[in-house]
């Protein structure tokens, strides 16, 4: 009996031990997590930190000590309530838990910036009426802002920038009567700016840039903000006029770039403005009228002025020397100014940035421009400047671009000596000569294109030495004389040989033309199609060349140029038809695109449309140089792109495969084994800077088509194989505007895009029509290709169907850095690449309304433009 009792007690004791153990363990765990009393401010903060960050990120916190002693925590005078909490850059991630910081009822300041927070708790917006400062910037918070943001009636500063907020800004913002600083930039807000914002009459600074805000500004916008000093509405889709800003009597900084503001530019200039950015809008008028007619504007206050990429005309300022003496940044580029001489600005010694590109400047570059001793950027490209290039002698100069002018003479050696210290320079397409043996071949090809390299070939000057004896001097004279004689003899032989070849080629051309002048029709076959040019006489069908209208080319010249459209000259077979390489008489090299799908247009209508496309010029578009109407066949002639397209360069050629879509073999050569190897472009393509350059150039081309053409042009088939690289390695978008030539004959075939680039709305509805936002989706895919190095379809995407799904899935998990191509990861800043991934994410949103416009994308890409020293 005693043994039984002892056994029973022993068993009971063991059971009791385990029961107590399981009851104590949670208590111990909870105690270690927080030593704060339940439902106190200390408990709420400690619980928040441990659930959001983990012990590794918050190891510096001693949760057993009073909450008012913790880092980032401030309390009231009695140390009873937390009134300030700063948890910036702690690595906090995920959704804010319920019943944590949302219960800090006396909180006046909250800073959770620079973390990875994805969403807010439902009780967050009930923090109370004491909150004065709220900073949630640089997180990943998504969703819309609820209407109960109006509960923060005492709020003075609200920063929601650099997040993923979407939807409309709620009308209840009208309750924030004490608001002074509002930052909502770099989000996905859409819709109109709410009328309730006019109630925030005490606001000093507003930044709602880089969103999708559309429509016009609320009536009375200018007269409502008498204290407003800074206003940034850039990179949205807002329509309006300069009169919208009249009445902002305290405004010093105004940035409305990248929108759709129009009308006269005069009304914007008003005191006490110091910074004015009106770039990439649709303003008209004469800038000179602002200077003379608006005499009340104090130019001496002006520090920054950018009116580039508008529709300004007439003359701009002739003399700013005595008035805008504090100006540091001046950009008038890409407008419609009339021809004029270089403005008088030599006394603007504070000027750091000067861009007068494409402003119809003529005459000479003044020598006294060297007096701009603070200048860092000088862009005078695409003008009609003549004369020699002055010795600038500006030690601070980082960027110099004088390309596409009529400058003559030799580039000063002193200027060439300064180039290694510059970040970027370009002298291309002038009548200049230069001599600098230290320049790399790539630099000479890209920054000195079309210039004469005037360095002596036979000997280098530094190899010539003063000889101490007459005998050595005679040897040198004999050697040089012999070299000159050999050179002359060789040159004579070369001329004779070339003349023989020219005569042989002329005979061959004549015989071929005679053969080609027979009556048609002509039939041609490729691997995928057969097309017919139904013409009776090849010599009777004209070929129109826009830039050279006096040249009497005919269809027979096209036959000659392409060897009768031989497969050996075939460059590509796209959705519109085959593309051939051709050499027209006079050394004109063209890409000949045959539009085989047929057209419902008459010859007159097709000619009118092709001539209209020929007038569309942009540095990042492949220009249409001519056309031929061969029976029912429409043939488009383009400038030849020497370096192929992005599809080949990114996915094919670096692997040693050359396909028919490459427009050139000039940058490729055979190695000893007969294979194809890169002679330099592959190394360039594996740099972040070059891939960003391609992305930005393509974005500019699409932005011009969408926003710079009237009516806007929708590309309909944006893809990597539509992006070509010219001889200067500048990206150029092709095939724009061709869909209209076909009419309704092939609408279904050409309007829905190519596999891998088709936006979701086309899959969901057969009636979806192409829009600018469908072009944005295609661009987003191209951007992701550039960042990842992967194809849109066909690569390994870890159980995802395509590139877009794979990238978007990782971005949602805050793992966007994983998608970056290893080839470029070490060639630039990861932060820039990660931001580019985010831009691609925005472009490929499922809903078209969530995608940014191409104007906004250009602004976003410019913000992360790499700066590299040449």
């Amino acid at each position: 009996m005693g043994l039984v009792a002892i056994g029973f007690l022993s068993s009971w004791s063991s059971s009791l031990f385990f029961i107590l153990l399981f009851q104590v363990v949670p208590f111990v765990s909870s105690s270690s997590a927080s030593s704060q009393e339940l439902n106190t401010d200390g408990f709420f903060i400690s619980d928040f930190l441990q659930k959001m960050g983990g012990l590794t990120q918050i190891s510096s916190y001693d949760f057993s000590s009073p909450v008012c002693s913790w880092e980032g925590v401030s309390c009231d005078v009695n140390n009873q309530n937390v009134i300030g909490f700063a948890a910036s850059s702690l690595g906090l991630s995920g959704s804010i838990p319920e019943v944590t910081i949302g219960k800090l009822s006396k909180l006046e300041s909250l800073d959770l910036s620079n973390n990875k927070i994805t969403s807010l708790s439902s009780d967050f917006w009930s923090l109370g009426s004491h909150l004065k400062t709220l900073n949630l910037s640089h997180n990943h918070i998504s969703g819309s802002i609820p209407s109960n943001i109006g509960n923060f009636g005492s709020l003075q500063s609200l920063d929601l920038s650099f997040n993923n907020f979407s939807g409309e800004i709620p009308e209840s913002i009208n309750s924030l009567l004490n608001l002074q600083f509002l930052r909502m930039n770099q989000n996905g807000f859409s819709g109109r700016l709410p009328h309730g914002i006019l109630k925030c009459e005490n606001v000093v600074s507003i930044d709602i840039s880089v969103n999708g805000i559309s429509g016009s500004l609320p009536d009375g916008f200018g007269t409502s903000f008498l204290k407003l000093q800074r206003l940034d509405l850039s990179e949205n889709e807002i329509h309006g006029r300069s009169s919208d800003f009249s009445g902002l009597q305290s405004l010093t900084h105004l940035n409305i770039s990248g929108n759709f503001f129009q009308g006269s530019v005069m009304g914007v200039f008003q005191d006490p403005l110091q910074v004015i950015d009106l770039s990439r809008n649709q303003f008209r008028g004469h800038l000179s009228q602002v200077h003379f007619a608006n005499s009340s504007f104090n130019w001496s206050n002006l520090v920054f002025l950018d009116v580039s990429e508008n529709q300004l005309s007439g003359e701009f300022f002739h003399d700013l020397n005595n008035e805008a003496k504090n100006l540091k940044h001046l950009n008038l580029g890409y407008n419609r100014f009339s021809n004029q001489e270089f403005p008088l600005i030599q006394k603007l010694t504070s000027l750091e940035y000067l861009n007068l590109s494409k402003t119809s400047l003529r005459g000479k570059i003044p020598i006294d421009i060297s007096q701009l001793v603070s200048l860092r950027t000088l862009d005078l490209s695409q003008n009609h400047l003549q004369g020699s290039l002055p010795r600038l002698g500006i030690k601070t100069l980082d960027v110099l671009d004088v390309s596409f002018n009529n400058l003559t003479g030799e580039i000063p050696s002193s200027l060439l000596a300064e180039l290694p210290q510059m970040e970027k320079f370009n002298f291309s397409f002038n009548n200049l000569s230069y001599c600098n043996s230290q320049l790399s071949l790539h630099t000479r090809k890209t920054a000195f294109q079309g210039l004469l390299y005037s360095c002596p070939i036979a000997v280098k000057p530094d190899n010539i030495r003063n000889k101490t004896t007459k005998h050595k001097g005679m040897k040198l004279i004999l050697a040089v004389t012999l070299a000159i004689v050999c050179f002359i003899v060789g040159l004579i032989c070369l001329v004779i040989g070339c003349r023989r070849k020219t005569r042989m080629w002329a005979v061959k051309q004549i015989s071929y033309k005679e053969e080609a002048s027979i009556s048609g029709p002509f039939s041609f076959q490729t691997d995928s199609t057969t097309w017919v040019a139904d013409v009776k006489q090849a010599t009777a069908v004209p070929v129109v060349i826009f830039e050279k209208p006096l040249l009497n080319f005919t269809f027979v010249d096209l036959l000659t140029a392409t060897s009768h459209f031989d497969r050996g000259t075939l460059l590509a077979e796209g959705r519109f038809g085959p593309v051939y390489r051709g050499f027209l008489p006079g050394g004109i090299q063209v890409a000949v695109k045959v539009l085989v799908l047929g057209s419902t247009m008459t010859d007159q209508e097709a000619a009118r449309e092709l001539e209209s496309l020929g007038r569309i010029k942009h540095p990042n578009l492949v220009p249409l140089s001519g056309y031929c109407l061969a029976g029912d066949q429409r043939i488009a002639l383009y400038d030849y792109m020497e370096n192929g397209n992005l599809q080949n360069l990114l996915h094919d050629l670096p692997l040693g495969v050359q396909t028919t879509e490459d427009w050139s073999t000039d940058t490729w050569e055979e190695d000893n084994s007969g294979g194809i190897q890169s002679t330099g472009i592959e190394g360039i393509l594996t740099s972040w800077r070059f891939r960003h350059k391609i992305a930005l150039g393509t974005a500019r081309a699409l932005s011009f088509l969408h926003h710079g053409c009237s009516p806007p042009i929708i590309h309909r088939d944006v893809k990597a194989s539509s992006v070509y690289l010219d001889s200067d390695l500048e990206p150029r978008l092709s095939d724009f505007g061709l869909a209209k030539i076909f009419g309704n004959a092939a609408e279904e075939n050409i309007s829905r895009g190519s596999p891998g680039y088709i936006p979701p709305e086309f899959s969901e509805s057969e009636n979806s029509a192409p829009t600018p936002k469908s072009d944005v989706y295609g661009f987003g895919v191209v951007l992701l290709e550039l960042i990842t190095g992967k194809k849109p379809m066909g690569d390994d995407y870890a159980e995802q169907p395509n590139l877009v799904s794979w990238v978007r899935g990782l971005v949602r998990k805050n793992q966007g850095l994983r998608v970056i191509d290893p080839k470029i990861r070490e060639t630039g800043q990861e932060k820039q690449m990660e931001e580019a991934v985010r831009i691609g994410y925005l472009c490929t949103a499922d809903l078209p309304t969530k995608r940014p416009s191409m104007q906004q994308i250009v602004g976003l890409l410019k913000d992360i433009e790499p700066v590299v020293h040449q």
Side-chain angles (χ1 to χ4, degrees):
M1 181 68 180
L3 290 174
V4 172
I6 292 171
F8 171 77
L9 289 173
S10 176
S11 175
W12 181 84
S13 299
S14 300
S15 301
L16 180 62
F17 171 77
F18 283 107
I19 291 171
L20 291 173
L21 176 65
F22 284 108
Q23 288 180 340
V24 169
V25 168
F27 173 77
V28 172
S29 175
S30 176
S31 178
S32 64
S34 175
S35 301
Q36 301 297 312
E37 186 178 344
L38 289 174
N39 297 328
T40 62
D41 288 355
F43 175 81
F44 295 138
I45 293 178
S46 63
D47 197 30
F48 165 76
L49 289 172
Q50 291 173 94
K51 287 180 178 179
M52 293 289 292
L55 293 176
T56 55
Q57 286 86 358
I58 56 173
S59 55
S60 61
Y61 285 86
D62 180 8
F63 293 120
S64 62
S65 62
V67 63
C68 296
S69 65
W70 296 354
E71 182 180 353
V73 175
S74 56
C75 297
D76 57 17
V77 292
N78 298 320
N79 285 336
Q80 292 183 349
N81 298 296
V82 172
I83 60 173
F85 180 39
S88 177
S89 304
L90 291 184
L92 308 176
S93 61
S95 178
I96 294 180
E98 301 287 342
V99 196
T100 54
I101 57 173
K103 297 299 181 181
L104 302 177
S105 58
K106 303 296 183 181
L107 200 62
E108 296 179 4
S109 175
L110 177 61
D111 183 359
L112 301 178
S113 61
N114 289 292
N115 286 292
K116 298 179 181 179
I117 301 172
T118 56
S119 62
L120 306 175
S121 61
S122 60
D123 61 1
F124 182 86
W125 303 103
S126 304
L127 276 171
S129 59
H130 297 281
L131 195 65
K132 296 179 180 179
T133 302
L134 175 60
N135 188 351
L136 301 176
S137 64
H138 293 275
N139 279 286
H140 305 293
I141 305 172
S142 58
S144 59
I145 298 178
S147 59
N148 51 2
I149 190 177
N151 294 340
F152 300 159
S154 300
L155 203 62
Q156 297 176 5
S157 176
L158 174 62
D159 192 345
L160 306 179
S161 60
F162 293 92
N163 277 287
N164 299 321
F165 284 109
S166 58
E168 297 187 2
I169 299 174
E171 190 70 34
S172 56
I173 197 173
N174 61 2
S175 297
L176 309 184
L177 301 180
N178 295 298
L179 194 65
Q180 297 180 24
F181 301 93
L182 176 63
R183 295 193 63 199
M184 309 178 84
N185 51 299
Q186 298 277 353
N187 279 284
F189 290 114
S190 58
R192 291 175 175 266
L193 206 59
H195 192 272
I197 197 173
L198 303 184
K199 297 291 184 179
C200 305
E201 297 178 353
N202 291 306
V203 70
V204 174
S205 176
I206 297 177
D207 188 350
I208 315 181
S209 60
V210 195
N211 280 286
I213 304 298
S214 58
S216 56
L217 297 178
D219 292 339
F221 184 87
T223 56
S224 297
F225 302 113
L226 301 181
K227 300 179 181 179
L228 187 63
Q229 298 177 13
R230 292 174 177 264
L231 176 62
D232 191 344
L233 303 177
S234 61
E235 310 303 336
N236 281 284
E237 300 175 10
I238 303 173
H239 293 74
R241 308 184 74 84
S242 59
S243 57
D244 293 334
F245 307 104
S246 59
L248 297 175
Q249 60 187 29
S250 302
L251 197 65
T252 60
H253 291 67
L254 174 64
N255 186 353
I256 55 173
S257 60
N259 281 285
F260 300 109
F261 287 96
Q262 56 186 339
S264 173
V265 72
M266 288 186 59
V268 179
F269 290 80
Q270 55 188 10
D271 285 336
L273 275 171
Q274 301 173 10
V275 173
I276 303 176
D277 191 345
L278 312 180
S279 60
R280 288 176 288 119
N281 277 284
Q282 299 169 10
F283 284 110
R284 298 177 180 271
H286 293 192
L287 207 54
S288 58
Q289 292 180 357
V290 179
H291 194 211
F292 297 108
N294 192 357
S295 58
S296 62
F297 181 67
N298 190 349
W299 288 88
S300 62
N301 288 333
L302 199 60
V303 176
F304 183 107
L305 177 61
D306 190 340
V307 293
S308 61
E309 297 185 52
N310 278 280
Q311 300 174 26
L312 304 179
S313 55
E315 291 190 356
F316 53 82
F317 318 112
H318 176 66
D319 187 352
L320 286 177
N321 276 329
N322 298 319
E323 299 189 41
K325 53 188 177 182
N326 293 313
L327 197 61
K328 292 185 177 182
H329 183 111
L330 178 61
N331 189 349
L332 308 178
Y334 284 84
N335 277 285
R336 300 176 180 179
F337 296 118
S338 57
N339 291 339
Q340 63 183 307
E341 300 288 337
F342 207 95
L344 300 177
I345 54 174
Q346 68 272 18
K347 294 182 180 179
L348 304 184
T349 55
S350 297
L351 197 63
E352 299 176 359
Y353 182 100
L354 177 61
N355 189 336
L356 301 179
S357 60
K358 207 170 184 180
T359 54
S360 300
L361 281 178
R362 55 182 170 82
K364 296 182 178 182
I365 301 176
I367 297 176
D368 54 13
I369 196 173
S370 60
Q371 297 179 26
L372 302 178
V373 293
S374 302
L375 200 62
R376 294 184 176 275
T377 295
L378 176 61
D379 190 345
L380 305 176
S381 61
Q382 301 189 60
N383 282 295
H384 313 292
L385 294 170
Q386 299 175 335
S388 59
L389 190 61
R391 301 173 184 271
L392 296 177
I394 304 174
K395 301 298 182 182
T396 57
L397 202 60
D398 293 329
V399 177
L400 173 63
D401 192 345
V402 293
S403 61
F404 293 95
N405 278 286
N406 300 316
L407 299 173
T408 55
E410 186 162 353
I411 300 176
S413 57
S414 58
L415 179 57
L416 291 172
E418 296 291 333
L419 297 186
Q421 282 72 49
M422 292 188 187
E423 296 175 359
K424 184 179 179 181
F425 48 83
N426 196 350
F427 302 90
S428 301
F429 302 105
N430 281 283
N431 297 315
L432 295 166
S433 61
Y434 68 103
C435 176
N436 188 331
S437 59
Q438 304 300 317
L439 296 172
S440 67
L441 180 62
H442 169 65
T443 300
R444 287 163 58 182
K445 281 185 174 181
T446 56
F448 294 84
Q449 190 172 358
L451 273 58
L452 175 63
Y453 187 63
S454 59
C455 283
I457 299 174
V459 290
K460 292 183 180 180
D462 57 348
N463 288 338
I464 300 176
R465 298 286 185 268
N466 292 326
K467 304 302 179 180
T468 58
T469 66
K470 182 179 179 181
H471 181 69
K472 291 183 178 180
M474 288 298 294
K475 280 187 176 181
L476 179 62
I477 293 172
L478 288 173
V480 172
T481 303
L482 182 60
I484 293 174
V485 170
C486 292
F487 177 77
I488 293 173
V489 172
L491 188 61
I492 293 172
C493 293
L494 181 63
V495 170
I496 293 173
C498 289
R499 290 183 65 182
R500 285 181 178 175
K501 287 185 178 181
T502 302
R503 285 198 297 269
M504 291 174 63
W505 174 241
V507 171
K508 184 177 179 181
Q509 276 193 315
I510 291 170
S511 63
Y512 189 79
K513 284 192 176 185
E514 290 172 353
E515 178 187 348
S517 63
I518 61 175
S519 60
F522 300 89
S523 178
F524 309 97
Q525 190 170 1
T526 67
D527 291 337
S528 61
T529 186
T530 298
W531 61 279
V532 177
D534 188 9
V535 298
K536 294 180 179 180
Q537 201 75 14
T539 54
V541 179
V543 173
V544 178
I545 304 294
F546 298 132
E547 299 292 333
K548 300 181 179 180
L550 298 180
L551 295 178
N552 295 317
F553 291 154
T554 64
F555 185 67
V556 70
D557 291 299
L558 284 186
L559 293 173
T560 305
T562 60
S563 300
H564 210 270
F565 292 99
D566 183 75
R567 291 192 187 192
T569 65
L570 187 66
L571 295 171
E573 288 194 74
R575 304 178 72 206
F576 293 100
V579 184
Y580 300 86
R581 182 178 184 176
F583 291 89
L584 291 170
I588 302 174
Q589 190 175 188
V590 292
V592 184
K593 182 183 287 288
V594 182
L595 310 179
V596 299
L597 291 176
S599 173
T600 58
M601 286 186 171
T602 64
D603 284 357
Q604 292 80 4
E605 290 171 336
R608 192 182 307 116
E609 187 61 32
L610 287 164
E611 288 175 1
S612 176
L613 290 178
R615 289 192 292 270
I616 297 175
K617 304 291 184 183
H618 187 274
N620 296 116
L621 290 175
V622 178
L624 181 68
S625 55
Y627 68 91
C628 176
L629 305 180
D632 292 333
Q633 198 65 66
R634 281 74 172 102
I635 301 175
L637 276 61
Y638 288 92
D639 283 7
Y640 181 74
M641 297 290 109
E642 296 185 10
N643 288 304
N645 65 48
L646 183 60
Q647 167 72 25
N648 299 134
L649 296 174
L650 195 59
H651 302 309
D652 297 331
L653 293 179
L655 302 177
V657 180
Q658 186 163 5
T659 70
T660 57
E661 290 186 356
D662 181 23
W663 282 26
S664 173
T665 58
D666 291 348
T667 53
W668 305 91
E669 62 185 19
E670 291 189 8
D671 59 18
N672 295 331
S673 62
I676 302 295
Q677 64 178 6
S678 169
T679 62
I681 195 172
E682 178 184 353
I684 300 170
L685 195 62
T686 55
S687 72
W688 161 239
R689 174 176 175 261
F690 188 61
R691 294 197 188 181
H692 177 276
K693 173 184 176 180
I694 295 174
L696 180 57
T698 307
R700 281 174 166 153
L702 282 169
S703 178
F704 176 77
L705 294 176
H706 291 178
H707 308 294
C709 296
S710 181
I713 295 176
I714 302 172
H715 189 283
R716 299 170 181 247
D717 196 19
V718 180
K719 55 186 177 181
S721 60
S722 298
V723 180
Y724 286 83
L725 296 179
D726 63 14
S727 58
D728 201 22
L729 295 178
E730 289 292 336
R732 289 179 178 259
L733 185 65
S734 68
D735 293 345
F736 59 91
L738 292 182
K740 192 171 181 180
I741 296 174
F742 296 103
N744 297 322
E747 182 74 18
E748 180 66 23
N749 195 334
I750 62 180
S751 66
R752 304 188 73 82
S754 299
Y757 301 89
I758 301 175
E761 60 266 25
F762 285 2
S763 303
E764 297 169 359
S765 172
E766 295 183 357
N767 299 321
S768 294
T771 66
K773 291 303 178 74
S774 56
D775 278 357
V776 170
Y777 185 92
F779 171 80
V781 180
V782 173
L783 178 58
L784 295 181
E785 287 182 78
L786 287 165
I787 298 168
T788 65
K790 291 180 175 290
K791 298 178 181 179
M793 301 178 70
D795 281 348
D796 181 15
Y797 299 121
E799 301 182 357
Q800 293 290 343
N802 52 45
L803 174 62
V804 171
S805 300
W806 177 65
V807 172
R808 291 181 65 82
L810 288 175
V811 170
R812 291 190 191 99
K813 298 176 183 177
N814 297 321
Q815 299 176 9
L817 286 174
R818 284 181 52 190
V819 309
I820 297 174
D821 188 350
K823 294 178 182 178
I824 66 170
R825 185 181 291 272
E826 302 300 325
T827 65
Q829 297 181 22
E830 272 195 355
K831 185 176 182 181
Q832 293 178 346
M833 300 181 204
E834 185 178 21
E835 186 63 25
V837 174
R838 182 176 179 271
I839 296 171
Y841 180 89
L842 295 174
C843 293
T844 54
D846 290 340
L847 295 176
T849 56
K850 300 295 183 183
R851 300 169 200 155
S853 67
M854 288 309 307
Q855 264 193 340
Q856 292 173 303
I857 294 167
V858 169
L860 290 170
L861 289 172
K862 286 177 70 175
D863 288 342
I864 59 170
E865 189 167 9
V867 177
V868 176
H869 294 272
Q870 291 270 0

